[in-house]
Amino acid sequence: MTAFDVLILGSGLAGQSIALRLADTHKVALVTKRSLEDSASAWAQGGIAAVLDPADSTDAHVADTHTAGVGLCSDSATRFVVENGPRAIRWLIDHGVPFTTDASSAIGYHLTREGGHGHRRVIHVADATGAAVQATLTEQVRAHPNITIFEQHIAVDLIIGDKIGRPDQGCLGAYVLDIARDEVVTFAARHTVLATGGTGKVYLYTTNPDTATGDGVAMAWRAGCQVANMEFIQFHPTCLYHPQAKSFLISEAVRGEGGLLRRPDGSRFMPEHDSREELAPRDVVARAIDFEMKKHGLDCVFLDISHKPAAFLEEHFPNILARCAELGIDITRQPIPVVPAAHYSCGGIVTDLQARTGVAGLYAVGESACTGLHGANRLASNSLLECVVYGEAAAHDIAGTPRELPDTLPQWDESRVTDSDEAIVISHNWDELRRFMWDYVGIVRTNKRLQRAQHRIRLLTREIEEFYSNFRISNDLIELRNLVLTAELIVRSALKRKESRGLHFSRDYPQTLPRARDTVLKPGRGRS
């Protein structure tokens, strides 16, 4: 058994910011499935939304968030994040994040605008904000003597007092697979933080990294936490469509800076779908693209910003320009082929304003959490802001809430399992799950499609649980087990919502009900 004051599962912006805030006074373990730099945060292009311009206001940012969230955002959570946004940006600046400057700006930094925002309020580092933030913090995390980094480690499950004969002790740590050594390590901790990211790999096409397998949500559900609003999966409207471009996102900011969506014949279509045209929220734009592709039998549509000067594109979108150029697409002269792809999960583990879950000693921050900020559709560039604001809240609560460190914990038991000689089952189940989730639980849904998905999930669950019970675990098996449970929670949530709202669009219930209600699932009710 290895013991720490704080165990953080996940190394994105949420996990790293909490680690840095606590490390001066706490012994911190930072566990990550791959390298410290490998997270969805590092892939974020557009930027971080915050009220920084004197012409902007907290009320305006709150209102834009509520509009995008289609009435389902928690006002207290939204105001909490927006009001604490400027301080979060200052914390990042103080830690050396090199945001793009602008001498003509009132604040000295360039602010861009993205879909759904009524003001320019997105601070950024060119078109690779996440990578710059991650690189800056990673250097400091690696250098801090109180942070122990465990790369190539994946959490298997949380250790919960109620399940090991220690009632009311809450979360006591986690079992973690050391992938390189192929052995399970027992981590004891006073406080445990789930910062494991999203669920994008449950779908065939996604902008997410391969690590986004719903681990935090699945582990929290098995630990007894409530989850909410899992039906709201954001499909980013503009993922690069090219056989050699895996999961490459074309930033929201391209449309914010004047990019236009066109059919193959060059005609625009967004004016026919929404008065906000290309600056409509992501769910509206994604459905419009999906409609056009299905109506005209298209493989993709095109995002055109070639009317802007080449120097402007080189300054604002150097990475997008370079990546497209590698694939033979000159964005200064021709449009970019794009398709929607699963991008962000607005639902997750239910938390309060201190990032606490329903299990003592267990916190959730970032995409794995459902704070109430995103409602039925996340407003662009609110996600990284949420990571930093709730990261500070979690760190403050952890520092002010002393808990005993367990002296002993049961070790992982492998006495009744054997090595598998049928690993092909895992890859087949993984592929089947992601394909039917894309076909049946995608941008446009029906009851029949959801029920088909649910039936297949139940069959897969039985197969996977049998495999899990009889064979030694592996990284792929852990991720598949978590993905199929996450898929079940998404489908159960979607079936409970008898309306269309935000990211959840049902042909059977096309209307939006007068009252917005969260979809909350509680362990022990129905299938788990």
Side-chain angles (χ1 to χ4, degrees):
M1 188 181 85
T2 182
F4 291 88
D5 295 320
V6 184
L7 170 62
I8 300 172
L9 304 175
S11 64
L13 178 54
Q16 291 201 22
S17 65
I18 295 170
L20 286 172
R21 289 182 186 276
L22 288 171
D24 288 345
T25 54
H26 294 70
K27 184 182 176 186
V28 178
L30 192 57
V31 172
T32 182
K33 291 201 281 188
R34 295 193 177 178
S35 72
L36 199 56
E37 295 85 354
D38 199 340
S39 73
S41 297
W43 290 31
Q45 293 179 351
I48 308 175
V51 178
L52 304 172
D53 187 339
D56 198 2
S57 70
T58 295
D59 285 346
H61 190 176
V62 168
D64 288 344
T65 302
H66 276 297
T67 298
V70 199
L72 203 61
C73 301
S74 159
D75 191 61
S76 59
T78 303
R79 289 195 171 275
F80 177 73
V81 172
V82 172
E83 288 171 358
N84 287 285
R87 188 167 75 250
I89 299 300
R90 174 52 57 190
W91 185 84
L92 291 172
I93 292 171
D94 290 345
H95 277 73
V97 176
F99 290 112
T100 299
T101 57
D102 181 356
S104 65
S105 167
I107 63 167
Y109 292 97
H110 183 266
L111 299 177
T112 190
R113 183 182 173 192
E114 297 183 349
H117 288 276
H119 293 268
R120 285 182 173 266
R121 65 168 68 98
V122 180
I123 191 168
H124 59 100
V125 185
D127 62 344
T129 305
V133 172
Q134 192 83 341
T136 302
L137 297 189
T138 294
E139 182 179 356
Q140 296 166 46
V141 167
R142 287 197 184 279
H144 204 292
N146 274 1
I147 301 175
T148 306
I149 300 163
F150 295 88
E151 294 175 307
Q152 301 297 319
H153 283 64
I154 178 172
V156 181
D157 252 329
L158 299 168
I159 302 172
I160 304 299
D162 288 349
K163 297 190 177 185
I164 60 169
R166 301 183 188 182
D168 304 322
Q169 290 192 19
C171 185
L172 303 172
Y175 294 113
V176 177
L177 175 66
D178 180 337
I179 299 169
R181 297 175 62 185
D182 194 27
E183 67 178 24
V184 176
V185 182
T186 303
F187 280 77
R190 302 179 196 276
H191 304 272
T192 301
V193 180
L194 294 170
T196 52
T199 64
K201 294 299 286 188
V202 79
Y203 286 99
L204 186 59
Y205 301 111
T206 176
T207 64
N208 290 183
D210 291 339
T211 53
T213 52
D215 303 327
V217 170
M219 285 190 291
W221 178 261
R222 291 193 293 264
C225 295
Q226 296 182 13
V227 300
N229 296 343
M230 291 295 293
E231 70 270 35
F232 297 116
I233 304 294
Q234 187 174 75
F235 289 81
H236 197 289
T238 54
C239 187
L240 180 62
Y241 179 74
H242 192 282
Q244 298 171 30
K246 179 183 177 183
S247 306
F248 188 76
L249 182 68
I250 304 300
S251 170
E252 193 94 8
V254 173
R255 299 202 315 281
E257 294 294 345
L260 302 174
L261 285 163
R262 302 185 187 277
R263 302 180 183 98
D265 64 4
S267 61
R268 291 180 63 197
F269 57 84
M270 279 310 301
E272 301 167 23
H273 291 270
D274 194 278
S275 61
R276 292 164 290 187
E277 302 177 350
E278 278 76 9
L279 287 176
R282 288 175 177 174
D283 62 316
V284 175
V285 180
R287 276 199 301 275
I289 294 173
D290 183 68
F291 175 86
E292 294 292 331
M293 289 172 62
K294 286 175 177 167
K295 178 180 178 181
H296 300 288
L298 308 175
D299 291 327
C300 65
V301 296
F302 295 87
L303 179 58
D304 187 8
I305 196 161
S306 61
H307 50 279
K308 288 284 189 178
F312 176 89
L313 299 180
E314 289 168 2
E315 178 186 358
H316 289 275
F317 306 112
N319 292 285
I320 293 173
L321 188 148
R323 181 63 177 135
C324 288
E326 289 174 4
L327 301 170
I329 304 166
D330 181 357
I331 72 170
T332 68
R333 297 179 170 219
Q334 60 192 117
I336 307 166
V338 294
V339 291
H343 183 58
Y344 191 88
S345 175
C346 291
I349 308 154
V350 175
T351 62
D352 63 13
L353 293 181
Q354 286 73 47
R356 295 176 297 204
T357 71
V359 173
L362 181 64
Y363 299 77
V365 182
E367 193 173 351
S368 60
C370 182
T371 64
L373 172 65
H374 304 307
N377 182 23
R378 175 176 68 90
L379 181 64
S381 290
N382 269 356
S383 53
L384 293 183
L385 182 68
E386 181 186 42
C387 287
V388 185
V389 170
Y390 274 95
E392 179 187 25
H396 184 266
D397 195 75
I398 288 169
T401 310
R403 295 186 81 235
E404 290 297 318
L405 190 67
D407 51 357
T408 60
L409 289 173
Q411 297 302 296
W412 182 255
D413 182 9
E414 285 192 330
S415 62
R416 290 170 292 179
V417 296
T418 61
D419 291 321
S420 167
D421 58 357
E422 296 183 4
I424 193 68
V425 173
I426 296 176
S427 61
H428 281 182
N429 286 355
W430 181 293
D431 184 63
E432 181 185 350
L433 174 68
R434 296 179 67 211
R435 285 184 181 277
F436 72 64
M437 285 295 289
W438 182 262
D439 290 339
Y440 299 150
V441 199
I443 295 172
V444 177
R445 300 165 179 173
T446 66
N447 282 347
K448 185 174 287 187
R449 290 176 185 174
L450 293 173
Q451 287 161 359
R452 284 174 179 164
Q454 189 173 56
H455 175 68
R456 283 161 173 78
I457 287 168
R458 287 173 176 168
L459 294 175
L460 280 181
T461 299
R462 286 198 288 270
E463 277 190 30
I464 293 164
E465 285 303 323
E466 181 182 358
F467 202 92
Y468 183 83
S469 299
N470 291 297
F471 300 111
R472 285 193 176 88
I473 58 173
S474 65
N475 180 82
D476 288 346
L477 178 56
I478 294 167
E479 290 185 330
L480 178 60
R481 181 179 182 235
N482 290 334
L483 274 177
V484 76
L485 175 52
T486 301
E488 182 186 345
L489 296 172
I490 292 170
V491 172
R492 281 181 58 186
S493 298
L495 284 167
K496 283 174 69 74
R497 187 163 291 278
K498 309 299 185 185
E499 62 168 349
S500 290
R501 184 182 295 273
L503 301 167
H504 175 74
F505 184 82
S506 169
R507 284 184 179 166
D508 296 308
Y509 306 103
Q511 77 288 352
T512 300
L513 297 177
R515 183 179 175 186
R517 295 185 178 183
D518 294 316
T519 304
V520 181
L521 301 181
K522 300 178 181 180
R525 298 191 178 186
R527 288 181 49 81
S528 61

